[in-house]
Amino acid sequence: MVNLNGTHPEETLDPEDWQAMRALGHQMVDDMFSFLQTAPSRPVWQPIPGEVREHFLTPVPEQPAGAEAAYKDFVQDVLPYPMGNFHPRFWGWVTGTGTPLGMLADMLAAAINPNLAGGDHAPNLVEAQVVDWCKQMLGYPPEASGLLVSGASMANLVGLTIARNSRAGYDVRKQGVQGQTQRLTVYGSKEMHSSIQRAVEILGLGSNSLRLIPVNDNFEMDLEVLKIAITADKALGYQPLCIVGCAGTVNTGAFDDLNTIADLCEREGIWFHVDGAFGAMAALAPALRHLTVGMERADSLAFDMHKWLYVPFEAACALVRHPAEHYEAFTLTADYTTHARRGAAAGEVWFSDLGLQLSRGFRALKVWMSLKEHGTQKYGRLIQQNVEQVRYLADLIDTHPELERLAPAPLNIVCFRYQGEELDDEALNQLNVELLMLLHESGVAVPSYTRIGGKYAIRVANTNHRSHRADFDVLVQAVVEIGRRLVRERAAMR
Ligand SMILES: *Cc1c(COP(=O)(O)O)cnc(C)c1O
């Protein structure tokens, strides 16, 4: 369309009919509340039919279909086949549940759509306050710096980057790791999360520099072996850079002896990083807080809010005890991002100086509003509730002759398997792999899996504020039913 004078009419992406868009928005909000309210009566997960999958192969639209059509496609093709983690019987990996207010907060954040790179605006103050609240919740020093990031993987990378840059003993930002002849080594237990290895690799330290220290029967790092490894590396001329302590391991929820590790780091001048992805939040429950003792001594601390604070994805936080070293590791101010003294480009803290991202979303809002909505004490009670539910499940497992628990369950995670009759480990591994897939396909529950000492385990990680004890009864019943069926089929095949 070209006007008589040769120019195109000016356009916008705003609706031509605001009233219609408003009605559509109300419809969406209504639909989502109904969806969440009725979730328990639907399957946790269901497979995506082939014809629906094909809808995701259509070419990019060139012509408008309109907002209503776009929403209709969401309702038909996306909404019925979600991951399922809002459901009371989803306990896979470590996946938070989300909340209704968290959903609305994400909408509000998108409406005003600020960029939290920096500047003088209230959204930046919201993030700064959330960081302050995190320090208070976890007993971390008030003078520490911090920022919100996408997940604990990124928060671990932030911590390890500062460790490398501040402790390498030369200007890593300038020289890179190219000129380095002395190997910089990083320590953590065998149970440490894979994101630490990825950080070590991305930082150019190489996974050969990662020392995976064995664990004791409680899956806690063996500190005697740790000390021997450090001594051996120093004897080779290597430089021990960082020890990673686990506050809640992903497999079993174990806590390393963080206080003793902090002592060791202090003595040796080694950076102490704690990965508390979900376990850090145990500090909110008075009866669990003792597990986290020593965490507040970490040089850097990584944790998620989208796991055990139940806020919608994505939200996590990195806290750093040394604000100057934090800033020095990341700041890079270009002509077009210098900070002003007044006006919209002012602002005390620019979060882009503290992490990898320049443009940053307003993920702080859902955390800020959620903490206001419920207060920390309620979060502490829910975390305690999750732990007690897992103890309840562990008891069901321990008292059931056909089930076998495969690891201690000190927190909110339990690993077990169906053992049925006399089968060897290899046969049990095969049987439990099949069992878990059938369980998922049944739509009854979604735990995930891991291996404990080579044994395939069904793994329940409870960061779900919607679960009831009865949901764990349902799980046990379904596992036993499917297990028995598989054993019968096995016998019939022989
Ligand atoms: C989940 C998890 C991570 C990674 O966190 P993301 O939010 O998935 O990036 C790191 N460490 C532990 C112990 C975890 O459970």
Side-chain angles (χ1 to χ4, degrees), residues 257-292:
D257 180 350
L258 301 175
N259 231 350
T260 306
I261 300 174
D263 289 341
L264 179 65
C265 285
E266 237 168 61
R267 262 200 319 278
E268 299 274 346
I270 299 174
W271 187 276
F272 180 30
H273 176 78
V274 170
D275 178 359
F278 60 96
M281 290 300 159
L284 291 178
L288 302 170
R289 195 174 174 106
H290 67 278
L291 294 168
T292 67

Side-chain angles (χ1 to χ4, degrees), residues 20-38:
M21 185 61 96
R22 185 186 294 260
L24 181 63
H26 288 166
Q27 178 74 50
M28 288 177 181
V29 170
D30 275 346
D31 288 354
M32 289 309 103
F33 279 114
S34 303
F35 178 83
L36 288 176
Q37 258 191 309
T38 55

